[in-house]
Amino acid sequence: MVVKLNNTHLNILASYAYLGKSKTFSDALINQSQLGTMNVMLDSGAFTLFNAKQKREWLTLDNYCQYIDKYGHLIEKYVMLDVIGNDEASKDNYEIMIKRDLNPMFVFTMADNDYNYLKDATKKNQHICVAGGVTTKGDWIKKRFQDVYKHTNGLIHGLGYVSYPAMYQLPIHSVDSSSWIQSSQVYGILSYFDDGMKGVAYKDVLRKVKKLPIQLIKLLEELKINPKQFSNLDNHKGARSIAALINLVSYLKYQKYSKRLGINLFLAINNVRSINDILFVNQEYNQGTLNFSKWQKLK
């Protein structure tokens, strides 16, 4: 199966855990891939399934394979359905997918050291996922990426590994991040790029515990957010908060920066609104017409 590749910095990671039960979400995402505005990477949803409080009985290997049969050739790449904590079951799933004439990205889990198997998998699909980037940022994961590349010469996707500047210094082809949403909506962090993604909590600024960095001051001015608006607590709540806008702008800049340095940074999304937000902010910011008032009025 030959997959589609769009030459854009708008790289999007979406999970079957959310797409599988939403035709609206699937259609919207595939449409953007077909239009050439977004590169789409399909995640299996294994990690979501592992951590979910609510069961997803429909998230099975067979259903996932049927979904790929329908959409796999319309996106950039898709990941195998692994079984977290069980390498043998994961490989069984992988081999079933291969037998069904699919060609997923193999997932090399943290406990797996079977480089011969990995090398064979890379011969089928150069794109491979290396796990451990979410929880491990030190020397172990750096050596892991280097060892995987040494054994396979593959195109490595570092799952959750957005670590500056290491990700640009290692043999990594792509990475993914969900922090652009979580940092604003969960932690109220205002993110900005300055030798990596940095941030400050809006509450700390309002309490005068910390000062706004100059990069954020410039961005607030650019988005026409005045001190009165910033001091209004209502503007720091929900999906249309100041942090949500600033973080999206900052991560879109991060995507462009990464692309220039040869890495594809994928932003993880889980609904149609995120697609619309990304497209709107990317277009308005590029045109120099983006401001907080427009952001607030978005549905």
Side-chain angles (χ1 to χ4, degrees), residues 9-292:
H9 68 278
L10 291 180
N11 299 306
I12 303 302
L13 174 72
S15 171
Y16 178 65
Y18 301 105
L19 289 163
K21 278 295 185 179
S22 177
K23 187 176 185 302
T24 301
F25 186 16
S26 294
D27 288 346
L29 194 60
I30 297 303
N31 182 54
Q32 294 306 319
S33 176
Q34 290 297 283
L35 289 172
T37 55
M38 290 181 169
N39 257 333
V40 177
M41 177 176 172
L42 174 63
D43 181 52
S44 67
F47 189 73
T48 302
L49 183 64
F50 181 75
N51 290 299
K53 294 180 181 179
Q54 296 178 339
K55 292 184 178 180
R56 288 175 166 85
E57 291 86 356
W58 52 268
L59 207 169
T60 64
L61 180 61
D62 183 60
N63 287 344
Y64 184 48
C65 289
Q66 289 184 47
Y67 189 89
I68 295 173
D69 281 333
K70 185 175 182 179
Y71 295 116
H73 62 292
L74 303 176
I75 60 177
E76 185 185 3
K77 48 191 175 183
Y78 53 88
V79 183
M80 64 167 283
L81 177 60
D82 55 312
V83 181
I84 294 177
N86 192 330
D87 291 337
E88 291 305 315
S90 294
K91 289 172 181 172
D92 288 343
N93 280 359
Y94 173 74
E95 289 172 13
I96 289 171
M97 295 180 78
I98 294 297
K99 288 177 182 177
R100 292 181 65 151
D101 292 325
L102 302 178
N103 194 12
M105 299 171 69
F106 184 76
V107 177
F108 197 51
T109 60
M110 292 180 69
D112 196 348
N113 288 303
D114 192 344
Y115 284 100
N116 288 328
Y117 193 97
L118 178 64
K119 188 173 183 178
D120 288 340
T122 315
K123 290 177 181 177
K124 298 181 180 70
N125 188 340
Q126 271 192 298
H127 293 264
I128 49 176
C129 292
V130 175
V134 175
T135 56
T136 310
K137 303 294 183 184
D139 291 340
W140 183 89
I141 192 67
K142 291 178 183 178
K143 186 177 185 302
R144 184 73 160 175
F145 289 130
Q146 292 166 337
D147 287 345
V148 168
Y149 186 76
K150 180 177 67 176
H151 282 86
T152 67
N153 200 32
L155 300 176
I156 299 171
H157 180 89
L159 289 167
Y161 189 76
V162 184
S163 184
Y164 182 95
M167 69 189 204
Y168 304 110
Q169 300 166 341
L170 293 163
I172 296 176
H173 180 263
S174 59
V175 295
D176 65 271
S177 173
S178 59
S179 297
W180 71 281
I181 293 180
Q182 293 178 350
S183 58
S184 63
Q185 295 191 6
V186 179
Y187 304 107
I189 300 295
L190 302 163
S191 298
Y192 62 98
F193 184 76
D194 180 27
D195 289 337
M197 196 60 70
K198 298 178 181 178
V200 59
Y202 77 86
K203 290 182 180 179
D204 288 343
V205 176
L206 292 177
R207 293 169 182 165
K208 298 183 179 180
V209 175
K210 292 184 179 180
K211 292 183 178 180
L212 275 171
I214 187 65
Q215 292 89 342
L216 278 177
I217 293 174
K218 289 179 179 178
L219 193 49
L220 288 170
E221 292 174 349
E222 195 175 358
L223 298 173
K224 296 180 173 58
I225 302 171
N226 60 47
K228 184 177 180 180
Q229 287 175 310
F230 189 85
S231 298
N232 186 343
L233 289 177
D234 289 336
N235 290 333
H236 294 282
K237 298 176 182 177
R240 292 287 168 255
S241 69
I242 289 174
L245 175 58
I246 284 179
N247 288 7
L248 181 47
V249 170
S250 296
Y251 272 88
L252 289 175
K253 289 182 178 182
Y254 204 4
Q255 280 191 316
K256 289 182 179 180
Y257 177 86
S258 296
K259 186 172 179 62
R260 289 196 299 270
L261 294 186
I263 289 213
N264 294 317
L265 169 57
F266 284 78
L267 300 185
I269 67 172
N270 55 25
N271 53 45
V272 175
R273 185 174 64 191
S274 292
I275 297 176
N276 296 332
D277 287 354
I278 289 170
L279 291 172
F280 173 81
V281 170
N282 185 64
Q283 178 176 320
E284 291 283 328
Y285 190 77
N286 288 340
Q287 293 175 347
T289 55
L290 181 64
N291 60 60
F292 183 56

